[in-house]
Amino acid sequence: MSDTDAPDVLVLRRGTHGMPIEQYADAIRDRLPDHTVELARTPADEREAIRDARFVAGMTLEDDLLEAAENLEVFACAYAGTGHLPLEKLEERGITVTNASGVHGPNIGEHVLGSILYFTRRFHVGARRQRRREWRHYQAHELQDSTVTVVGLGAIGQSVCERLEPFGVETIGARYSPEKGGPTDEVVGLEGEAFDDALARTDYLVLACPLTETTRGLIDREALVTMDPDSVLVNIARGPVVDTDALVAELRSNGIRGAALDVTDPEPLPEDHPLWTFDNVQITPHNAGHTPKYYERLADIVAENRRRFDDGDDANLENQVLP
């Protein structure tokens, strides 16, 4: 393939959430009718097509594929997180990298709200009594006037806060740079007395932050002990943000009321792991990110960035991570 034959957008073959990658390529084509959009369906197709491609969209970019990409200028990552990419090599070659920030906002916001209501109204207790055909009342809780702390105020954290607004709750935002503020009643940093004080006042703790050196193990034994025994943890961030052993210990000793875990450490969670056995733990298999509109939202970002690339504005792409 010569440079003149290279597609305007090359889509790599790996999909996500069990949705055919053809849907992603078609969504990009719909938005860029005057561009050529090629889907590489086999490993050989990828190696051949990426040699001359300047603009590539995909979930991952393995080292060997990057080496074959002789003319690559933009890699549009289809995940919000980019830690799985060979970022140092991409940076060394001056390749622009974008991510899918914002794509997950509505669906993960809904997942978090559902998880909070699940524990507020104790639907897990109702489901257990239904399975037993046991008509017996139980006590529940009320979300109104609760305090919800959201750790991470990026696109997902903001989406969570927007969906909490009608419920009459107090919100605390926690972020690495609290001086940036946020859509919460107050904002604190991720360390020190202010963060500890927030944990002590929290009824529902939502983790929506990236995994960094600062957030790894952020919710450790000390943090869990600081939380009220009637509080609930919701983790849609990354498993290692929580110390799993400490969480198991607190659940065993009724140190917190429950946990909704869409991510775990380790992940996948082994079949014999004790977290599976707790009645007050809701586990979903890293599923909060699924939405039938995933590829449509991704295609909006990719199409806009391809237009900017055409206009020579490739230093100002939407969701730019590198350089």
Side-chain angles (χ1 to χ4, degrees):
M1 179 186 294
S2 67
D3 186 44
T4 55
D5 294 330
D8 295 318
V9 179
L10 172 64
V11 180
L12 302 183
R13 62 194 167 93
R14 182 187 294 273
T16 190
H17 296 304
M19 298 184 294
I21 193 64
E22 285 82 2
Q23 293 178 7
Y24 185 27
D26 287 343
I28 298 173
R29 290 189 187 104
D30 288 343
R31 289 155 176 79
L32 295 172
D34 298 328
H35 292 68
T36 56
V37 179
E38 179 180 336
L39 172 60
R41 277 315 273 116
T42 69
D45 288 345
E46 284 184 335
R47 287 191 298 272
E48 175 65 24
I50 205 170
R51 184 172 293 113
D52 295 313
R54 299 168 62 206
F55 195 110
V56 175
M59 310 290 162
T60 62
L61 186 63
E62 307 298 338
D63 286 340
D64 59 340
L65 207 55
L66 176 57
E67 289 176 11
E70 299 174 1
N71 296 294
L72 182 61
E73 295 182 43
V74 177
F75 180 70
C77 180
Y79 292 131
T82 55
H84 63 290
L85 298 177
L87 292 176
E88 289 185 7
K89 294 180 180 178
L90 286 160
E91 187 171 19
E92 286 172 4
R93 290 182 48 181
I95 296 170
T96 299
V97 176
T98 63
N99 68 8
S101 178
V103 168
H104 290 301
N107 45 291
I108 293 186
E110 291 172 4
H111 184 100
V112 168
L113 191 58
S115 297
I116 289 175
L117 292 173
Y118 176 88
F119 281 100
T120 300
R121 300 308 302 170
R122 299 186 74 198
F123 290 137
H124 55 301
V125 176
R128 187 164 63 246
R129 295 189 180 181
Q130 179 180 346
R131 287 194 299 271
R132 296 171 179 171
R133 304 181 186 184
E134 180 182 359
W135 186 275
R136 183 162 61 91
H137 288 274
Y138 58 90
Q139 294 184 335
H141 302 267
E142 193 171 287
L143 182 55
Q144 182 169 289
D145 296 327
S146 297
T147 297
V148 182
T149 296
V150 180
V151 179
L153 293 177
I156 291 172
Q158 291 179 40
S159 179
V160 171
C161 293
E162 289 171 7
R163 282 154 180 77
L164 285 169
E165 194 169 334
F167 286 86
V169 299
E170 290 291 315
T171 54
I172 303 172
R175 65 189 309 173
Y176 183 76
S177 302
E179 64 275 7
K180 292 182 178 179
T184 49
D185 295 312
E186 61 181 287
V187 180
V188 300
L190 296 179
E191 298 174 321
E193 292 184 11
F195 184 65
D196 292 340
D197 178 65
L199 290 179
R201 292 184 282 137
T202 296
D203 297 299
Y204 297 90
L205 177 63
V206 178
L207 304 179
C209 54
L211 179 62
T212 65
E213 289 306 309
T214 300
T215 61
R216 184 179 295 275
L218 179 69
I219 307 304
D220 56 8
R221 180 182 178 279
E222 290 301 316
L224 289 164
V225 170
T226 301
M227 291 170 63
D228 190 274
D230 207 31
S231 61
V232 172
L233 170 69
V234 180
N235 189 8
I236 50 85
R238 287 293 184 267
V241 174
V242 177
D243 181 327
T244 301
D245 291 341
L247 176 61
V248 169
E250 286 304 298
L251 289 165
R252 280 180 170 151
S253 63
N254 294 316
I256 61 173
R257 175 153 54 98
L261 307 174
D262 189 59
V263 290
T264 58
D265 183 25
E267 187 175 309
L269 194 65
E271 293 181 12
D272 60 351
H273 199 282
L275 279 173
W276 289 113
T277 66
F278 291 102
D279 288 337
N280 59 340
V281 173
Q282 178 195 40
I283 296 174
T284 48
H286 208 142
N287 211 64
H290 178 263
T291 167
K293 298 181 179 179
Y294 189 82
Y295 287 148
E296 297 293 322
R297 293 182 187 140
L298 272 176
D300 287 338
I301 297 171
V302 170
E304 173 59 27
N305 282 340
R306 178 66 221 199
R307 294 187 194 101
R308 295 184 189 182
F309 183 76
D310 292 341
D311 294 338
D313 194 19
D314 50 323
N316 186 32
L317 300 187
E318 186 177 347
N319 288 355
Q320 189 165 323
V321 178
L322 285 178

